């Protein structure tokens, strides 16, 4: 029975034989009458001896507690306007069984108290500090704000960080973003309509009020809400993070879309601790899953799940049993907990008999950018030492404060140079002026658009180039390399976003409302938490922004790129996974560049011997370029003359008042355009009359940019300059990564071995991964295949990694061209590709055939696809043709063969003629969209889930994916990747066996031992700190960062160890020694690290 009670409960009416347990609901009317409360109370009333009484809001607010209804059990909780003090008085007066403790609800309203309790219970939470703006507590109000960090009472938080009001009732939480990511802040608030946050350009923290500052946790755009009903029951739901783009996803009833996910064993333990610590039987809290760990960031108190019938059943059953267990004996009610059979576990199966997509791995080059520019000079020992450059011999300065110091030094040197014409400062005034000009661009340091690299030269000898050819230093010196430009253009953002949108079409289709819309299968998978997505990017701004724009298109996000970049893209501490220092060449690459330089300096037509030297692989694209060039020096003469003509034309435009202030593409001016072309004119032809061929890629870069974006200027001979410089670049750029096959493999493995290892790990770890969100099959509504789970790993990088990765696939021995016709055709196609342009893609797709034996090689099936990226307009007609995307799909599709054949024919035509895209769209809408929805998207229908929808995935400005091979086995690919990694390890071993490498061997062996036993990190904490203090060390921020990096919780275990990792390892060792030498000795001597060559004093 459930009823409202306007009068006190009359005990005299009770018959002892019909004694009921009265459960009182004491809350604001909005909460008492809510759908979840009504559903649960209706189920609770089905218990034979339970009656529910709802306290009227008028009684709660206006009547003294003595007149409130009587009850045996009280469910009462605070919300806006609720008189918690009166509820506490009532509980003291009547002493009912409390489902949720009332005194603890005062603490839940203060985030400081919430964090204190969590910390006392040893529950992981983000690193935080409290800023109390209280005159009586001046020691807790020390705030120092920097460009990209704040210091709160001595604790430093680098952006991104989170700023939360101390009052839990205040939902205005701000997230501040770092300057390199675009700065500004995301402002979260209680949901209003379809929005829960908004991006603001304001970067300064709030100056009034008290706040908690905490470290931002990268959760890949997902929050997890956990709901307990007693310590032994927890239900979890995931939702899109409100900080991502601020748009609230709602269903047809206007409810926020959430999907139930499974908790790990550790998270269930956390739920139990939260429930008991706050004495709230029904309790909601927020969980952040980041870097393999789970952190509690908020405790909400009394909360119900919305729109889950299974949860309503469970909640009522748990609460009813709890009430009966506590009160039935006291009231002499005969009752015992019914024994129920265990739920039969549901084994997820695929929805069809053909192969199911399990994993997608893509390596993608960044989008269209402004021309990169570079200048070299020698300077600044003090700055090098200040930022620890001597540790590795290299230093990158990118932060605003660092660049400001460089600018200040440049200004000071220029001042001295002006005062003392005969001073011994060796930097040329023009270079200092250029350094100053570049650093003063834009008026402030914002975004990742400039950086300074410093390299220590022990002998002071610079590499030969036009800028330093006559400069030799007698002692040690520092080479400064200033880099600017290379920013992602608006066109690049559009390319990335469109490609992300098109990328969805490779995934199986959705069901229900999503059927009939190409690409929505991926959105369906992702929104229902059956999609494990991680996006990685190198540290270059253009690469990171490309990744963010791609994610925006892929996941149909809205708003600015900065919040997406910070939350979805991983780019820090990746140990060389996607970054490469182009100024630090391998010995092999230096030899290759020297040979290239010699061959291209001959003032004669290419001979047969030159063809053998320069093109031993007989690549058609390379041979064609050599035929165009004929005489390399004469061609360079023509290029140089064309550059001179171009600079003359730009100068004349500048002198014309009508065009002097003309704005070019991406806010460039004619003056800036002249500066970059004048610099190329100076640098290309050296003082001795020879040409610096290392500038050819820069020349091609510039003319390609101007041909595409500034053609409206009408400059003469730009197409001829484009043609000749492209022919030269088509030789120089690919051959810089090796001329012979062995050289290509050696250089490629040096660039991307960590990435290869990571790809191998991705393919191996497709099945079980507790650290990701997984849909809970028992609680999922409207999802036909809750067990399906697709893993996606996207790697955004620069040209060097794409060239290197492709070289390994081509020349590493994956398949034998003589025995495999499809591979031979693929290699012929790749040889004809002249350029790996922006948005080049290498895609690996893994499928599983559940009908095959798990141990069979046929169980897993791998496909390899490739696209050369953005189309280069002037030469599009001569682009090489592949064999289409999944060319075998027409053979598999049965009754729909005709449609697929027509589609493939259409696509082949469209590759040559972009104007036919309009007709293609019409064809798709009339022919393909008339097919039944289930036929188009069901995984049971075909091995290739796009089913002829390749056309929909086309981006007009980007070449479509071509299939290189579609019948590889996983074992075959895994063995190939292992062979490549082992081959590189043998090369490194030979290097390390040279004199002076013993200590490095010891450290690498130490690292490997730790990585192999990373699961024992908790044991290490226990041994060092003891059972009572084990969380003390785990909370130490630096220790956690280092352990995360070395133990693989960030999926970086397979990456190559570099110098900074060695210092991190030493730091761990030193930290452990300081904690407890005895415990460390015990740990080092244990069987877990047997064979590890490490002593206490090593490197300390």
């Amino acid at each position: 029975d459930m009823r409202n009670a306007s009068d006190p409960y009359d005990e005299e009416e009770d018959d002892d034989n019909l004694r009921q347990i009265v459960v009182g609901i004491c809350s604001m009317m909005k909460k008492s009458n809510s759908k979840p409360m009504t559903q649960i109370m209706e189920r609770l009333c089905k218990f034979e001896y339970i009656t529910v009484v709802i306290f009227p809001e008028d009684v709660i607010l206006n009547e003294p507690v003595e007149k409130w209804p009587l009850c045996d059990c009280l469910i009462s909780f605070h919300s806006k306007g609720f008189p918690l003090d009166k509820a506490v008085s009532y509980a003291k007066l009547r002493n009912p069984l409390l489902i949720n403790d009332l005194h603890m609800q005062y603490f839940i309203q203060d985030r400081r108290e919430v964090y204190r309790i969590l910390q006392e219970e040893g529950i992981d939470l983000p690193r935080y500090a409290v800023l109390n703006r209280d005159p009586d507590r001046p020691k807790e109000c020390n705030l120092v704000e920097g460009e990209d960090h704040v210091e709160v009472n001595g604790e430093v938080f680098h952006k991104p960080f989170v700023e939360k009001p101390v009052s839990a009732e205040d939902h205005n939480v701000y997230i501040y973003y770092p300057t390199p990511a675009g700065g500004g802040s995301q402002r979260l608030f209680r949901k209003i309509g379809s929005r829960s946050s908004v991006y603001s350009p304001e970067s300064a923290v709030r100056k009034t009020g008290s706040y908690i500052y905490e470290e931002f946790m990268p959760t890949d755009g997902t929050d997890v809400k956990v709901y307990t009903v007693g310590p032994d029951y927890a239900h979890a739901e995931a939702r899109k993070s409100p900080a991502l783009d601020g748009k609230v996803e709602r269903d047809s009833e206007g409810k926020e879309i959430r999907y139930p996910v499974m908790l790990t064993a550790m998270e269930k333990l956390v739920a139990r601790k939260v429930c008991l610590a706050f004495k709230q039987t029904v309790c909601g809290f927020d969980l952040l899953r980041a870097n393999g760990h789970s952190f509690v960031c908020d405790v909400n108190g009394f909360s119900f799940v919305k729109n889950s019938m299974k949860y309503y059943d469970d909640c009522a059953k748990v609460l009813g049993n709890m009430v009966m267990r506590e009160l039935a004996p006291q009231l002499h009610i005969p009752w015992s907990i019914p024994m129920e059979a265990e739920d039969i576990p549901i084994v997820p199966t695929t929805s069809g008999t053909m192969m199911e997509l399990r994993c997608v791995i893509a390596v993608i080059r960044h989008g269209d950018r402004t021309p990169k520019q570079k200048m070299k000079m020698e300077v600044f020992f003090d700055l090098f030492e200040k930022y620890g450059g001597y540790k590795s011999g290299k230093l990158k300065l990118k932060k605003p404060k660092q660049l400001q110091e460089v600018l200040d030094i440049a200004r000071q040197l220029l001042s001295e140079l002006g005062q003392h014409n005969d001073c011994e400062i060796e930097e040329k005034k023009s270079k200092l002026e250029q350094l100053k000009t570049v650093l003063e661009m834009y008026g402030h340091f914002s975004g990742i658009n400039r950086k300074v690299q410093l390299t220590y030269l022990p002998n002071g000898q610079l590499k030969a180039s036009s800028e330093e050819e006559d400069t030799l230093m007698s002692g040690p010196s520092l080479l400064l390399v200033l880099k600017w430009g290379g920013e992602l253009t608006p066109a690049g953002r559009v390319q990335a976003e469109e490609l992300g949108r098109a990328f969805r079409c490779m995934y199986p289709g959705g069901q229900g409302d999503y059927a009939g819309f190409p690409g929505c299968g991926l959105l369906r998978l992702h929104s229902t938490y059956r999609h494990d997505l991680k996006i990685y990017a190198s540290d270059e701004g253009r690469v990171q922004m490309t990744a963010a724009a791609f994610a925006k298109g892929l996941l149909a996000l809205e708003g600015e790129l900065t919040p997406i970049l910070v939350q979805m893209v991983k780019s820090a501490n990746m140990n060389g996974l996607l970054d490469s220092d182009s100024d630090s060449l391998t010995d092999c690459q230096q030899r290759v560049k020297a040979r290239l330089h010699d061959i291209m300096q001959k003032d004669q037509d290419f001979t047969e011997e030159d063809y053998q030297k320069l093109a031993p692989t007989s690549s058609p694209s390379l041979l064609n370029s050599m035929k165009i060039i004929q005489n390399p020096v004469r061609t360079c003469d023509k290029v140089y003359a064309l550059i001179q003509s171009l600079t003359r034309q730009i100068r004349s435009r500048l002198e014309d008042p009508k065009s002097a202030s003309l704005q070019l593409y991406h806010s460039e001016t004619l003056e800036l355009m002249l500066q970059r072309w004048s610099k190329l004119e100076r640098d290309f032809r050296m003082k001795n009359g020879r040409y610096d061929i290392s500038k050819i890629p820069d020349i091609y870069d510039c003319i390609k940019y101007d041909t595409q974006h500034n053609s409206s200027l009408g400059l003469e001979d730009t197409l001829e300059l484009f043609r000749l410089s492209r022919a030269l670049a088509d030789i120089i750029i690919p051959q810089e990564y090796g001329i012979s096959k062995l050289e290509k493999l050696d250089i490629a493995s040096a660039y991307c071995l960590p990435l290869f290892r990571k790809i191998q790990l991705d393919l191996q770890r497709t099945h079980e991964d507790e650290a990701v969100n997984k849909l809970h099959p028992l609680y999922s509504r409207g999802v036909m295949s809750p067990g399906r789970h697709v893993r996606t790993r996207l790697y955004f990088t620069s040209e060097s990694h794409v060239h290197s990765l492709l070289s390994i696939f081509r020349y590493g021995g994956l398949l034998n061209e003589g025995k495999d016709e499809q591979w031979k055709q693929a290699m012929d196609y790749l040889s004809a590709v002249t350029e790996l342009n922006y948005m080049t893609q290498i895609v690996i797709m893994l499928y599983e055939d559940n009908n095959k034996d798990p141990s069979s090689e046929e169980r897993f099936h791998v496909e390899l696809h490739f696209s050369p990226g953005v189309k280069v307009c002037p030469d599009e007609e001569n682009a090489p043709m592949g064999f289409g995307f999944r060319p075998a799909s027409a053979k598999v599709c049965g009754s729909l063969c005709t449609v697929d054949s027509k589609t493939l024919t259409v696509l082949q035509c469209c590759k040559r003629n972009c104007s036919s895209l309009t007709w293609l769209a019409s064809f798709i809408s009339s022919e393909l969209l008339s097919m039944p929805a289930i036929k188009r998207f069901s995984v049971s229908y075909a091995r290739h889930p796009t089913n002829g929808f390749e056309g929909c995935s086309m981006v007009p400005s980007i070449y479509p994916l071509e299939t290189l091979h579609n019948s590889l086995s996983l074992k075959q690919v895994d063995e190939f990747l292992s062979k490549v990694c082992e081959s590189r390890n043998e090369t490194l071993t030979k290097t390390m066996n040279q004199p002076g490498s013993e200590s490095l061997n010891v450290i690498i062996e130490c690292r490997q031992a730790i990585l192999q036993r990373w699961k024992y990190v908790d044991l290490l904490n226990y041994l060092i700190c003891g059972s009572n203090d084990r969380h003390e060390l785990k909370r130490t921020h630096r220790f956690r960062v280092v352990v995360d990096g070395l133990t693989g919780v960030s999926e970086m275990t397979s990456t190559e160890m570099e110098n900074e990792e060695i210092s991190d390892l030493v730091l761990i060792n030193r930290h452990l020694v300081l904690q407890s030498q005895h415990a460390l000795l015990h740990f080092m001597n244990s069987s877990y690290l047997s064979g590890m060559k490490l002593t206490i004093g090593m490197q300390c």
Side-chain angles (χ1 to χ4, degrees):
D1 179 28
M2 183 169 68
R3 55 192 171 87
N4 289 327
S6 56
D7 300 310
Y9 185 80
D10 188 355
E11 288 187 270
E12 295 179 1
E13 294 179 7
D14 258 353
D15 185 335
D16 287 341
N17 295 328
L18 300 174
R19 178 70 164 99
Q20 292 283 297
I21 296 174
V22 178
V23 177
I25 309 297
C26 179
S27 63
M28 301 301 285
M29 184 173 64
K30 183 179 179 182
K31 300 292 183 181
S32 300
N33 294 340
S34 66
K35 180 181 177 181
M37 181 69 83
T38 303
Q39 292 279 346
I40 291 167
M41 292 305 109
E42 284 177 354
R43 288 163 171 78
L44 195 60
C45 289
K46 292 180 181 178
F47 280 78
E48 184 179 356
Y49 296 100
I50 290 180
T51 297
V52 175
V53 174
I54 298 175
F55 290 21
E57 185 174 297
D58 182 61
V59 171
I60 295 172
L61 295 177
N62 301 317
E63 297 289 342
V65 295
E66 290 79 11
K67 294 187 178 181
W68 286 14
L70 297 180
C71 65
D72 303 300
C73 172
L74 181 67
I75 297 176
S76 181
F77 52 93
H78 178 267
S79 62
K80 187 176 181 181
F82 180 77
L84 185 57
D85 293 343
K86 291 179 73 174
V88 170
S89 300
Y90 174 83
K92 187 175 181 180
L93 176 67
R94 303 297 184 190
N95 196 30
L97 171 68
L98 293 177
I99 295 297
N100 279 29
D101 185 88
L102 294 170
H103 283 285
M104 290 300 293
Q105 293 184 30
Y106 289 110
F107 294 124
I108 292 175
Q109 295 176 53
D110 190 327
R111 287 191 173 100
R112 293 168 295 192
E113 292 299 318
V114 169
Y115 275 37
R116 177 185 63 79
I117 294 170
L118 290 172
Q119 204 160 22
E120 287 175 356
E121 292 297 319
I123 296 170
D124 283 344
L125 63 162
R127 185 175 63 94
Y128 77 97
V130 178
L131 182 74
N132 282 314
R133 286 195 170 98
D134 185 344
D136 298 329
R137 303 159 81 175
K139 292 184 179 179
E140 298 178 13
C141 188
N142 294 319
L143 175 70
V144 179
E145 185 173 9
E147 177 77 24
D148 268 333
H149 74 278
V150 290
E151 184 178 328
V152 182
N153 301 325
E155 189 84 12
V156 176
F157 295 89
H158 293 281
K159 293 181 181 179
F161 60 76
V162 184
E163 180 187 64
K164 295 180 176 179
V166 294
S167 170
E169 298 299 301
D170 188 343
H171 296 272
N172 294 294
V173 175
Y174 291 4
I175 301 171
Y176 295 91
Y177 299 125
T179 304
S185 56
Q186 193 78 10
R187 305 193 167 189
L188 282 64
F189 43 79
R190 188 179 283 277
K191 292 188 286 286
I192 301 174
S194 63
R195 298 216 65 81
S196 59
S197 73
V198 64
Y199 176 77
S200 167
E202 180 57 54
S203 294
V205 300
R206 288 173 277 191
K207 300 301 187 292
T208 58
S210 297
Y211 300 94
I212 288 177
Y213 290 89
E214 69 181 47
E215 200 169 24
F216 177 81
M217 295 284 126
T219 61
D220 298 320
T222 300
D223 285 353
V224 178
K225 313 281 284 187
V226 182
Y227 302 86
T228 69
V229 186
D232 300 317
Y233 180 93
H235 175 94
E237 291 188 342
R239 64 167 185 177
K240 186 173 76 172
S241 169
L244 190 56
D245 64 355
K247 183 182 178 183
V248 179
E249 301 291 346
R250 297 188 181 275
D251 60 19
S252 57
E253 297 177 2
K255 301 289 185 183
E256 182 180 17
I257 294 176
R258 298 180 180 181
Y259 284 91
V261 294
M262 291 183 284
L263 294 174
T264 66
M266 188 60 70
E267 289 169 342
K268 290 174 183 176
L269 182 61
V270 168
R272 180 183 180 84
K273 284 184 175 182
V274 169
C275 179
L276 294 174
F278 290 89
K279 300 178 183 178
Q280 306 292 297
T281 300
V282 178
C283 185
F285 65 92
D286 295 346
L287 205 61
L288 300 176
R289 288 172 167 175
N291 298 330
H293 293 279
S294 297
F295 303 87
V296 177
C297 66
D298 199 9
V299 177
N300 308 309
F302 194 97
S303 298
F304 280 144
V305 177
K306 302 173 180 66
N307 299 318
S308 173
M309 296 300 165
K310 181 75 168 65
Y311 170 81
Y312 298 154
D313 292 341
D314 291 345
C315 184
K317 186 183 296 184
V318 173
L319 286 177
N321 287 339
M322 185 183 301
V323 170
M324 295 301 295
R325 183 172 57 247
E326 293 292 330
L327 297 179
Q330 298 177 26
L331 302 176
H332 309 291
I333 297 174
W335 181 84
S336 60
I337 299 177
M339 299 298 293
E340 295 184 4
E342 291 291 327
D343 288 335
I344 299 172
I346 295 176
V347 180
T349 59
T350 59
S351 56
T353 57
M354 303 303 284
M355 290 196 179
E356 180 180 358
L357 181 63
R358 299 292 297 169
C359 182
V360 176
I361 300 168
V363 180
I364 304 172
R365 191 186 171 194
H366 58 77
D368 179 71
R369 56 160 171 77
T370 60
K372 292 192 296 182
Q373 300 183 71
K374 183 193 295 186
M375 185 201 72
K376 297 179 181 179
M377 59 191 300
E378 291 195 358
V379 281
F380 310 162
F381 269 93
D382 291 343
L383 205 61
F384 191 68
E385 184 175 4
K386 176 178 178 180
Y387 289 106
Y390 287 112
K391 291 181 182 178
S392 62
K394 302 172 190 173
L395 189 64
K396 279 186 183 179
L397 305 178
K398 299 170 70 173
K399 295 180 179 178
K401 181 182 177 182
Q402 295 171 334
L403 294 177
Q404 184 63 53
E405 288 185 69
V406 176
L407 178 57
D408 292 343
I409 293 172
R411 288 169 175 167
Q412 182 183 345
L413 289 174
L414 276 169
S415 176
E416 292 179 13
L417 198 63
Q419 295 171 7
H420 308 284
N421 293 329
D422 57 344
C423 72
E424 296 182 359
I425 298 175
E426 299 182 28
E427 291 79 15
K428 295 178 181 177
K429 187 175 180 180
S430 60
K431 288 193 175 183
L432 284 170
E433 287 283 5
Q434 187 162 33
L435 177 65
K436 175 175 172 287
T437 300
V438 171
L439 291 178
E440 288 176 341
M441 283 166 58
Y442 312 113
H444 64 287
F445 297 114
S446 175
I448 313 173
N449 47 32
R450 286 159 291 183
K451 66 180 175 183
V452 171
Q453 293 176 199
L454 293 170
T455 304
Y456 179 64
L457 303 172
N459 301 318
Q461 185 168 352
L462 296 173
K463 298 171 189 173
S465 81
S466 61
E467 298 181 50
E468 299 88 13
E469 56 181 318
D470 298 328
T471 308
L472 290 175
M473 303 293 295
S474 57
S477 63
L478 281 178
L479 175 65
L480 178 146
V481 181
L482 172 66
K483 295 183 177 181
W484 71 100
E487 299 172 58
L488 191 69
T489 64
R493 291 191 181 198
V494 171
Q495 290 163 0
E497 192 172 336
E498 286 186 347
L499 186 63
R501 201 174 293 119
F503 212 75
R504 301 178 206 158
C505 293
M506 292 196 298
Y507 292 79
Q511 297 87 26
D513 294 340
Y514 288 87
F517 297 94
C520 285
L522 181 276
L523 296 180
R524 174 72 170 167
L525 276 172
H526 195 80
S527 66
T528 54
Y529 299 92
R530 295 173 294 162
H531 183 217
D532 171 19
L533 169 68
K534 283 188 172 60
I535 302 173
Y536 299 91
S538 67
D539 70 350
E540 294 174 319
R542 57 183 170 272
V543 180
Q544 294 179 15
M545 285 301 178
T546 299
F550 186 95
K552 182 178 180 180
L554 180 72
L555 302 178
L557 301 174
E558 297 181 358
E560 300 294 324
L561 292 185
T562 296
I564 300 171
L565 169 62
V566 173
Q567 296 187 69
M568 297 294 296
V569 180
K570 302 174 189 298
S571 61
N573 303 319
M574 291 197 300
N575 308 323
L577 183 73
L578 296 170
D579 294 298
S580 58
D581 188 353
S582 59
D583 293 313
S584 300
L585 308 178
T586 64
D587 290 339
C588 179
Q589 200 165 9
Q590 287 176 337
R591 292 195 301 271
V592 165
K593 285 201 170 189
R595 275 169 44 215
L596 267 176
H597 196 273
D598 291 341
I599 295 172
M600 299 298 287
Q601 294 291 352
K602 292 181 179 179
D603 189 5
Q604 63 181 40
D605 287 357
F606 284 127
T607 63
E608 192 61 37
E609 184 182 359
D610 291 329
Y611 275 92
Q612 291 297 324
K613 285 182 179 179
L614 201 53
T617 60
S618 301
S619 166
S621 62
L622 200 58
L623 296 175
N624 288 338
S625 295
M626 291 180 73
K627 290 174 183 175
I628 293 172
I629 292 169
Q630 295 182 344
N631 183 320
V633 173
R634 294 287 173 85
T635 302
C636 287
D637 287 338
K638 293 177 184 176
V639 167
Y640 183 67
L642 288 168
I643 293 174
Q644 287 180 314
S645 169
L646 194 61
T647 54
R648 282 196 300 270
Q649 292 179 65
I650 299 171
R651 285 192 185 94
S652 68
R653 295 292 179 91
L654 272 170
E655 292 168 1
D656 183 355
K658 293 181 181 178
S659 57
S661 59
L662 185 66
Q663 284 284 319
L664 307 182
Y665 184 73
H666 201 43
S667 301
E668 189 180 32
T669 63
L670 276 172
E671 187 175 357
L672 289 173
M673 184 184 188
L674 178 62
Q675 283 180 13
R676 59 180 166 89
W677 278 112
S678 297
K679 185 177 185 303
L680 285 173
E681 183 181 347
R682 290 193 306 271
D683 294 346
F684 185 41
R685 190 168 187 169
M686 299 183 285
K687 293 177 183 177
N688 58 13
R690 303 179 76 189
Y691 291 103
D692 182 358
I693 64 164
S694 68
K695 300 299 175 187
I696 287 173
D698 297 335
I699 295 169
Y700 175 58
D701 198 22
C702 275
I703 193 60
K704 181 168 70 171
Y705 179 83
D706 287 330
T707 302
Q708 181 177 355
H709 298 300
N710 293 322
S711 58
S712 59
L713 283 175
L715 299 172
E716 296 178 2
D717 298 324
T718 52
L719 289 181
E720 180 63 10
L721 178 56
F722 175 89
R723 186 182 73 86
L724 294 176
S725 62
R726 183 182 186 184
L728 289 167
D730 285 348
I731 294 175
I732 301 300
I733 293 174
Q735 299 305 79
E736 282 184 343
Y737 299 99
I739 296 176
S740 69
K741 292 182 179 180
L742 288 177
E743 288 169 342
K744 288 180 184 293
L745 284 173
D746 185 54
I747 293 170
S749 59
Y751 269 108
C752 63
L753 182 65
L755 179 57
F756 246 72
R757 285 180 168 171
K758 182 64 171 59
I759 290 172
Q760 185 179 26
L761 195 67
D762 292 336
L763 291 170
Q764 291 171 346
R765 292 180 58 193
T766 293
H767 292 291
E768 297 301 326
D769 190 349
E770 276 205 330
V772 301
N773 297 314
K774 289 190 176 179
L775 195 65
H776 201 304
L778 294 179
Y779 294 84
S780 303
R781 297 186 309 142
V783 179
M784 292 173 63
S785 54
R788 177 179 299 152
H789 199 77
V790 179
R791 179 185 184 91
T792 298
R793 294 293 179 267
L794 304 176
Y795 300 96
F796 289 85
T797 186
S798 54
E799 188 177 21
S800 58
H801 272 71
V802 177
H803 270 286
S804 300
L805 199 62
L806 209 55
S807 290
I808 291 178
F809 277 121
R810 291 176 68 180
Y811 306 117
L814 174 59
L815 291 166
N816 187 328
E817 293 181 41
K819 297 180 180 179
D820 192 303
E821 182 61 28
Q822 187 180 17
W823 191 243
K824 182 181 183 304
Q825 292 173 345
M827 294 303 98
D828 290 344
Y829 164 66
L830 289 177
S831 295
V833 171
T834 58
E835 180 181 0
L836 304 183
N837 205 358
Y838 307 127
M839 304 310 302
T840 292
Q841 309 139 59
I842 300 170
V843 180
I844 302 170
M845 302 179 76
L846 174 66
Y847 292 85
E848 182 177 8
D849 188 344
N850 290 277
N851 295 320
K852 301 294 183 183
D853 187 272
S855 60
S856 168
E857 282 191 35
E858 297 178 355
R859 174 83 175 191
F860 291 98
H861 162 92
V862 178
E863 295 182 354
L864 184 61
H865 310 286
F866 165 79
S867 164
V870 173
K871 298 174 181 177
V872 183
C873 298
D875 200 34
E876 190 181 317
E877 291 183 1
N878 300 322
M881 289 292 297
F883 289 86
F885 186 58
R886 299 199 176 99
S889 61
K891 300 176 183 177
V892 183
C893 294
S895 62
L896 293 175
C897 273
T898 309
V899 175
D900 275 351
S901 300
K902 288 169 68 178
T903 306
L904 289 172
T905 305
V906 171
L907 292 178
Q908 294 289 341
C909 296
C910 286
K911 287 178 189 174
R912 296 204 181 277
N913 185 6
C914 284
S915 63
S916 62
L917 280 171
T918 306
W919 180 81
L920 172 65
S922 172
F923 169 82
I924 289 172
S925 60
S926 61
E927 296 287 337
L928 298 185
L929 295 185
S930 62
M931 294 156 52
I934 191 66
K935 287 277 189 180
R936 276 179 289 150
F937 283 104
S938 173
V939 168
S940 62
Y941 155 60
R943 186 183 305 264
H944 309 286
T946 50
N947 301 331
F949 268 80
E950 293 91 335
C952 293
S953 68
M954 285 182 66
V955 177
S957 62
I958 299 176
Y959 288 108
L961 280 173
E962 302 280 358
T963 297
L964 300 182
H965 211 284
N966 60 359
S967 58
L968 298 165
S969 71
L970 178 59
K971 181 182 177 183
Q972 194 176 8
V973 174
D974 187 64
E975 288 175 352
F976 166 70
L977 295 173
S978 296
K979 183 182 72 173
V980 171
C981 296
E982 287 169 7
S983 174
R984 180 60 184 171
N985 284 339
E986 289 174 5
T987 305
L988 291 173
T989 302
K990 291 177 184 178
T991 305
M992 286 192 292
N993 286 334
Q994 295 174 358
S997 61
E998 292 83 359
S999 61
L1000 182 60
N1001 279 320
V1002 171
I1003 293 172
I1004 289 180
E1005 187 170 351
C1006 163
R1007 167 189 176 263
Q1008 289 171 342
I1010 287 181
L1011 293 181
Q1012 289 166 1
R1013 279 86 174 179
W1014 69 269
K1015 67 182 74 173
Y1016 296 109
V1017 169
D1018 265 348
L1019 173 65
L1020 174 60
N1021 294 334
Y1022 178 80
L1023 288 172
I1024 292 169
C1025 301
S1027 59
N1028 295 326
D1029 301 317
R1030 63 183 301 181
H1031 295 281
E1032 181 67 30
L1033 182 59
K1034 285 187 72 177
R1035 281 198 211 99
T1036 303
H1037 172 61
R1038 178 59 178 158
F1039 182 81
R1040 175 168 295 288
V1041 169
V1042 175
V1043 170
D1044 284 359
L1046 289 178
T1047 60
V1049 293
S1050 302
E1051 299 194 319
M1052 293 290 100
T1053 58
S1054 63
T1055 60
E1056 191 71 4
M1057 183 169 186
E1058 295 191 350
N1059 290 333
E1060 57 265 27
E1061 282 188 276
I1062 298 174
S1063 61
D1064 284 345
L1065 187 60
V1066 172
L1067 188 145
I1068 290 180
N1069 189 38
R1070 184 181 296 118
H1071 195 118
L1072 302 184
V1073 172
L1074 293 174
Q1075 287 290 327
S1076 171
Q1077 189 176 37
H1078 174 75
L1080 182 64
L1081 277 168
H1082 177 78
F1083 176 71
M1084 291 301 178
N1085 292 329
S1086 69
S1087 60
Y1088 299 122
L1089 291 177
S1090 58
M1092 187 174 79
K1093 300 176 183 176
L1094 181 65
T1095 61
I1096 294 300
M1098 185 194 84
Q1099 301 287 337
C1100 287

